[in-house]
Amino acid sequence: MLQAFAVQVSAERAAGPSGEQTTAEIPAVELHNVSRKFGPVSAVAGISLSIRRGEFFSLLGPSGCGKTTLLRLVAGLDLPDAGTVSINGLEATHTPAHQRPVNTVFQSYALFPHLNVRENIAFGLRMKRMARKQIEERVGSIMETVRISELAGRRISQLSGGQKQRVALARAIVNEPQVLLLDEPLGALDLKLRKELQVELHALQRRLGITFIYVTHDQEEALAMSDRIGVMHAGRMAQLGAAEEVYERPRTRFAAQFIGACNLLRGTVRHCSERDFMVRTELGEVRVELGQSARPLQLGQSCTLAIRPEKVRVLAFTERREVNSFPVRVSGFVYTGSETQYRLETPGGLLNAWVMNARSGPPVFQIGDRATVQLPWDALVLLDD
Amino acid sequence: MVSTHSRWLYGVAALLYAFLYAPIAVVIVFSFNTSRHGLGWQGFTWQWYRALLDNSQALEAAKNTLALAICSTLIATAIGTAAGFGLSRYEIPGRRFFSRLLYLPVFVPDIVMAVSLLLFFSIIRQWLGLFQLGLTTMIFAHVTFQIPFVAIVVRSRLAGLDPALEEAAHDLGANAWQTFWRVTFPLMLPGVMAGGMLAFTLSLDDFVVSFFTSGPGSTTLPILIYASVKRGLTPDIHALSTLIVLVSLLATLTVALLQRRGRA
């Protein structure tokens, strides 16, 4: 049943009006210079973005960064003050929400309390005036897909949070939208259920091949599920890229600190070669690999380097490496089971280093111990600001 | 400490309720009293209720009261619902002003409303010859004070609804009309019904406005009772009052039930 549904969806896709070859190239959603102001506040400030067909795209950012507003502009629940929105290659900036080939899973689920589960899921198809028989089939099949068949006759008030989430998802995807918009769909659930549904959602997206735009403030969730992540900050796109790229090569201070933890080192550029460059920081001279996408550097220019705590190596005090190793003192640590998170005192302030507890036994270093840290030159990232 | 505190509170509450409901209880008790005059209890009887059935004046007044309450409630519920919906869902210039204005009749004393309506009707009558005092003018008058109550109840119901529900309907392909009839209206219906029952009760019990705007042949129960009392309190009036209390009580209970169902 499940397989049959997936096949049916992809068959319809392939038989689209513009033919197989071109449809693959037309982005599912394209935003051009989109802005939305609420009074004096710019919720979305000139964002351009192209989302590929079948992509799992996450909008990640703290609350108030404009990610939900951007989603609503795609849904047609809000209109931009400037810029254009195209869906499936067609200009849709002013198309009303009910005529767009997109569906939304709302943060509050927004299930209709006066209808039961089956009627909720059938709502969109009834609006399309689909034949009763066909509606029944589609609703039945989608309820199997998200495993809620036994809830068909229930009232919404009788459902648990996780069940509501599934019904909301079914109500949206039963319409076979070109793009599915999800506004923090797992936000109201407890951690265990969240993790379970993350896996399920991801699998479902792969199976159905629907483009997902997923709004979340949970960086782990975004990293775990997305093909690409757009990190938003104050109405702008702070960084856009594949999950590992956004994490490994943060471009701005905001992106570095919002996603995961990050150590920042300020300094001035001292020397620059083809392969690397030197930065004088309060810690000492730090050698950094010159990345492929390197911008031209000027000597004497001030800059900020970032390094993830798990990439910092902590060695015995007596052990010295040639490159980027500095003496530190352990000022505290947190034992989390799988790793030990050290706070290290350096001439340039505190440095965080997370060390995997690969071997059994107590943490190697105690508070007050002297140690050596080494910053691998290829793990240091030069930030834009 | 806590228990003496709450006992004291219970005592005060009991006194308060006694003060509020003792008079009503007395009327109900006396409607079953065999004694025609005087305040002594002389035995239980249904005779005053039976007497009401033979009292053509009382029956006529009951008919008028119901006709007035039903007509005015239907009109007021329709207008009040539209007003409540419009004021909570549309950004129109002067929305705050209009909503304050709408609630004015709630605060204006009945007697002021009654006198101004009477004056208004006589001016219209003089100019256009319309609005002879009677059931029609009473319906208009009742509608004016019922509308705000309906609008307030409907509005508070709408305020309690998740705005995402209507957005979800749009998102699922429903246009504005379909969204209203398939989502908004069913969800605000308990509020509409509760507002209607409230309006019905208000019309049923109203004396002041009715008294000023009534004409020959449009006597309602409260007016009849007022007129009879001037001739002296009789047990059949008690019986009539008891019936009115009963109907009002049923209407109020219905409102409460509707609102509870609406919340679930």
Side-chain angles (χ1 to χ4, degrees), chain A residues 205-374:
Chain A
Q205 192 268 340
R206 285 284 175 267
R207 206 161 63 218
L208 300 182
I210 298 176
T211 311
F212 272 35
I213 305 183
Y214 191 98
V215 161
T216 180
H217 64 266
D218 181 338
Q219 39 107 1
E220 230 177 278
E221 193 168 286
L223 289 173
M225 301 169 84
S226 321
D227 295 320
R228 280 197 304 159
I229 299 176
V231 184
M232 283 188 70
H233 178 47
R236 293 178 190 284
M237 203 58 81
Q239 189 165 357
L240 184 69
E244 65 276 8
E245 186 186 327
V246 168
Y247 184 80
E248 296 287 338
R249 319 277 337 153
R251 278 219 331 262
T252 64
R253 190 184 300 235
F254 175 82
Q257 291 187 313
F258 185 74
I259 305 175
C262 215
N263 293 301
L264 298 181
L265 301 169
R266 312 217 62 183
T268 47
V269 177
R270 299 291 295 164
H271 169 76
C272 201
S273 79
E274 271 171 33
R275 288 177 56 226
D276 58 8
F277 61 98
M278 302 290 287
V279 176
R280 170 169 290 167
T281 68
E282 282 169 311
L283 207 61
E285 295 258 321
V286 177
R287 197 206 300 181
V288 187
E289 186 187 40
L290 202 59
Q292 296 105 323
S293 58
R295 292 161 294 116
L297 285 170
Q298 282 164 2
L299 294 183
Q301 170 191 342
S302 71
C303 64
T304 306
L305 298 172
I307 185 167
R308 300 281 180 197
E310 73 273 15
K311 308 225 151 121
V312 176
R313 286 189 203 139
V314 188
L315 311 167
F317 182 62
T318 49
E319 210 174 330
R320 278 288 164 91
R321 301 278 165 93
E322 288 151 48
V323 181
N324 295 350
S325 61
F326 310 97
V328 295
R329 187 182 291 276
V330 176
S331 75
F333 65 86
V334 177
Y335 175 78
T336 67
S338 61
E339 59 188 19
T340 305
Q341 305 183 345
Y342 290 102
R343 268 202 322 281
L344 306 169
E345 223 175 271
T346 76
L350 287 174
L351 194 71
N352 290 306
W354 298 352
V355 179
M356 281 295 285
N357 294 328
R359 272 171 295 182
S360 54
V364 185
F365 300 99
Q366 296 301 319
I367 293 173
D369 282 359
R370 284 152 71 79
T372 297
V373 291
Q374 203 235 333

Side-chain angles (χ1 to χ4, degrees), chain A residues 72 77 97-98 102-104 106 108 110-114 124 126-127 129 171 175, chain B residues 162 164-176 178 182-183 186-187 264:
Chain A
R72 291 172 60 84
L77 297 171
H98 67 274
V102 304
N103 285 109
T104 307
F106 290 83
S108 63
L111 299 174
F112 304 126
H114 60 298
R126 290 185 61 189
M127 291 301 110
R129 308 200 178 283
R171 187 179 66 172
N175 303 292
Chain B
D162 182 359
L165 288 170
E166 282 159 302
E167 292 184 341
H170 282 304
D171 186 73
L172 292 166
N175 60 29
Q178 290 167 319
R182 288 181 178 273
V183 174
L187 290 175

Side-chain angles (χ1 to χ4, degrees), chain B residues 218-242:
Chain B
S218 65
T219 304
T220 60
L221 287 173
I223 298 175
L224 178 76
I225 293 172
Y226 174 74
S228 315
V229 166
K230 282 203 286 198
R231 280 179 262 123
L233 273 171
T234 52
D236 45 343
I237 297 298
H238 298 328
L240 202 50
S241 307
T242 304

Side-chain angles (χ1 to χ4, degrees), chain A residues 8-74:
Chain A
Q8 187 193 340
V9 172
S10 49
E12 275 175 31
R13 288 280 150 79
S18 24
E20 267 175 67
Q21 259 198 331
T22 43
T23 46
E25 290 150 18
I26 296 171
V29 173
E30 193 156 34
L31 305 177
H32 183 69
N33 231 345
V34 168
S35 296
R36 178 71 172 107
K37 274 188 170 187
F38 294 109
V41 184
S42 279
V44 172
I47 284 187
S48 295
L49 180 62
S50 179
I51 295 168
R52 293 189 283 268
R53 256 160 195 278
E55 189 173 21
F56 195 125
F57 187 92
S58 287
L59 286 167
L60 175 65
S63 53
C65 71
K67 56 192 193 298
T68 294
T69 305
L70 195 62
L71 196 76
R72 291 172 60 84
L73 294 175
V74 177

